[in-house]
Amino acid sequence: MALTGIQIFKLLPGTNCKKCGAATCLAFAMNLASGKAELDACPDVSEESREKLSAASAPPIRPLTIGYGDTATKIGGETVLFRHEKTFYNPTGIAAMINDSESDADIATKVKRFMNFQYLRVGLNLRPELVVVKGAARLAEAAKAVVDNSDMSVVLYSEDTAALKKATDALAGKNPLIGPATMANCDEVAKIALEAKVPVWAKAANIDEVADLTKKLTAAGVKDIVIDSGARTVKDAFTDSVAIRRAALGGNRDFGFPTIAFPCEITDNLAMQTAISAALIAKYAGVVVLSDFDGASVFPLLLERLNIFTDPQRPMTVVQDIYPINNPDENSPVLVTTNFSLTYFIVSGEVEGSRVPCWLLIKEAEGLSVLTAWAAGKFSGDDVGMFVKKSGIEEKIKHKSVIIPGYAASILGDMEEELSGWKVSIGPREAAHLPKFLKDYTVS
Ligand code: SF4
């Protein structure tokens, strides 16, 4: 049960020392209650209070990490049912399945192909992170072939606990997710997981068995659990996913874990698996497992995931700065626009495509697009003029010309007043028209 700010305040040292960055312990308590601060920020809280506060402030869905290095995938930790209520924090892991009947050479070829599915969008490298290795006889060798030939993290899938133990040992330090733990074998799987300190996925026969299974694992000492409700139809996978999230947010700790879903065991058709995965990414899956990756499948899922797990309350921004594009020099044109990341990436993409060397000035505007920033007074003529003056661009160019976005044409007068001696030109409204504009444009 979450504590109120006042209840948290009573557990804090009360010295108002400000080490946490808040002006008072009460202010820190309020921030903690609203999720804007972490308890670790207060170095002086007693162990007893820390235990009480940690338990009370634990998220309703336990966060955990699968894997290692750059592809370590943090899942769970969610606190809301709907993204617009706050935000979703930890993006769904996207996995493909490999069977241990495949040779090591084939596995190496496959995972190298998987690693090619990487896409740079809005300054982020979007890629799938996980490989599920299924089998028994060669589970350890196949899992080793994955980590030796890629940086992808592994989910082990074997009902043979001896094979699971061998493969878990072979992946020491790689933090695989191991399973399935079922009602029949969960004590053995728990033992392997606790020894290796790795998370476990628990496969129930159906949604009704989930609570019994997680209780059993928790009693055995396993904390990091991923729930597989056992659903292998689209309808059950979807309804179970929603039911588990609702139960967890309702305070039922037996359901307070992230989930894994297997669209690859619902259908063989990759396009259908992709459609099912898309629904489950939107509706709460911690990990979705496909039978394979191809561009037409992975790319839309990555973009969907990016959209869903972006904080809707914070526009994506780029840093206010001077960005050189196509190796500009002292005679190259200068463009200015806002720091809304979509604006930046569309404009920079078009400028790059034009092959015209340019300087792109990005002005801080609270992540708003040009028209919105102008309407909100964040992209006014004197403000933009002042920014150009102070940006340092004058040290990089010989001319005094700057291009403003077509949607901000009305700031031209104020800008010219602020930037005495500069020539301010109005660029096109649409970024797509920039290449032609730049080819016809001459600095003066
Ligand atoms: S660091 Fe701890 S004791 Fe100091 S003001 Fe913050 S909450 Fe209070």
Side-chain angles (χ1 to χ4, degrees):
M1 192 72 180
L3 297 180
T4 64
I6 296 296
Q7 287 169 322
I8 294 171
F9 170 65
K10 288 179 183 164
L11 294 166
L12 294 174
T15 56
N16 298 330
C17 70
K18 300 188 173 63
K19 287 184 211 162
C20 57
T24 60
C25 291
L26 182 59
F28 180 69
M30 293 302 174
N31 288 343
L32 207 57
S34 61
K36 290 182 194 147
E38 300 277 336
L39 181 58
D40 287 346
C42 173
D44 300 330
V45 68
S46 70
E47 266 319 304
E48 192 192 339
S49 295
R50 184 177 295 279
E51 259 173 45
K52 284 185 192 162
L53 287 168
S54 300
S57 62
I61 299 169
R62 184 177 172 82
L64 61 90
T65 302
I66 304 167
Y68 66 105
D70 289 346
T71 56
T73 303
K74 191 169 176 189
I75 57 174
E78 307 300 343
T79 56
V80 293
L81 198 58
F82 301 110
R83 177 179 171 268
H84 60 260
E85 290 177 276
K86 196 170 184 191
T87 183
F88 292 168
Y89 293 102
N90 294 310
T92 308
I94 299 177
M97 180 92 87
I98 278 179
N99 203 293
D100 75 347
S101 59
E102 298 172 51
S103 71
D104 288 356
D106 286 349
I107 291 172
T109 307
K110 214 175 206 180
V111 292
K112 283 175 188 162
R113 177 169 64 78
F114 291 170
M115 286 210 304
N116 287 333
F117 295 116
Q118 303 203 26
Y119 308 89
L120 266 181
R121 286 292 182 282
V122 291
L124 301 170
N125 186 29
L126 311 182
R127 59 169 295 184
E129 311 81 6
L130 296 165
V131 174
V132 176
V133 184
K134 183 176 183 182
R138 271 188 14 87
L139 190 72
E141 291 79 357
K144 272 290 280 170
V146 171
V147 296
D148 288 348
N149 291 283
S150 76
D151 63 357
M152 300 185 82
S153 292
V154 173
V155 178
L156 293 174
Y157 185 158
S158 180
E159 271 136 36
D160 179 333
T161 48
L164 201 57
K165 161 96 176 107
K166 191 176 163 203
T168 306
D169 290 346
L171 296 188
K174 307 289 186 194
N175 192 34
L177 172 66
I178 69 167
T182 61
M183 287 301 275
N185 72 4
C186 68
D187 289 334
E188 280 174 89
V189 176
K191 192 162 170 266
I192 299 166
L194 290 170
E195 269 173 24
K197 296 192 175 70
V198 296
V200 171
W201 63 280
K203 183 180 178 186
N206 51 54
I207 186 85
D208 297 332
E209 197 183 82
V210 168
D212 290 340
L213 186 52
T214 57
K215 264 196 195 104
K216 228 176 153 188
L217 281 166
T218 310
V222 178
K223 289 186 175 149
D224 290 336
I225 300 169
V226 179
I227 296 173
D228 170 6
S229 71
R232 294 298 184 267
T233 66
V234 179
K235 178 173 172 285
D236 287 349
F238 187 83
T239 52
D240 286 1
S241 193
V242 174
I244 290 168
R245 171 66 69 96
R246 281 185 183 276
L249 296 185
N252 187 334
R253 289 282 175 191
D254 296 334
F255 289 87
F257 303 97
T259 59
I260 185 167
F262 289 86
C264 62
E265 294 186 348
I266 295 175
T267 170
D268 291 336
N269 182 306
L270 188 57
M272 277 303 295
Q273 292 174 28
T274 307
I276 297 164
S277 298
L280 293 172
I281 287 172
K283 285 293 180 190
Y284 318 136
V287 177
V288 289
V289 187
L290 296 107
S291 58
D292 197 0
F293 288 146
D294 75 17
S297 161
V298 171
F299 183 60
L301 291 179
L302 290 171
L303 281 191
E304 182 206 9
R305 183 177 74 171
L306 174 70
N307 282 325
I308 287 176
F309 286 86
T310 300
D311 187 345
Q313 297 169 71
R314 272 190 220 158
M316 294 180 79
T317 60
V318 287
V319 176
Q320 172 169 295
D321 209 344
I322 302 170
Y323 292 81
I325 302 176
N326 300 331
N327 296 317
D329 61 21
E330 55 195 17
N331 296 312
S332 301
V334 176
L335 301 100
V336 62
T337 190
T338 71
N339 71 332
F340 178 40
S341 64
L342 199 56
T343 300
Y344 167 76
F345 286 105
I346 290 173
V347 170
S348 61
E350 292 294 344
V351 174
E352 206 175 313
S354 75
R355 305 197 179 195
V356 177
C358 289
W359 299 101
L360 180 57
L361 300 188
I362 293 297
K363 183 192 174 301
E364 209 290 315
E366 295 183 6
L368 300 173
S369 62
V370 170
L371 202 51
T372 317
W374 169 76
K378 311 283 177 198
F379 203 73
S380 61
D382 43 1
D383 203 14
V384 179
M386 182 76 75
F387 162 66
V388 172
K389 251 197 246 172
K390 291 187 172 171
S391 67
I393 188 66
E394 285 182 272
E395 290 152 32
K396 297 179 185 293
I397 54 174
K398 269 200 325 202
H399 61 88
K400 287 195 166 188
S401 307
V402 60
I403 302 163
I404 59 173
Y407 278 115
S410 60
I411 70 172
L412 182 128
D414 286 346
M415 242 185 111
E416 283 181 334
E417 218 167 277
E418 184 66 39
L419 281 176
S420 160
W422 280 68
K423 181 186 163 204
V424 181
S425 304
I426 299 168
R429 286 185 159 212
E430 303 302 332
H433 299 150
L434 269 171
K436 180 172 184 325
F437 176 88
L438 289 171
K439 275 170 192 150
D440 297 340
Y441 177 81
T442 46
V443 296
S444 54

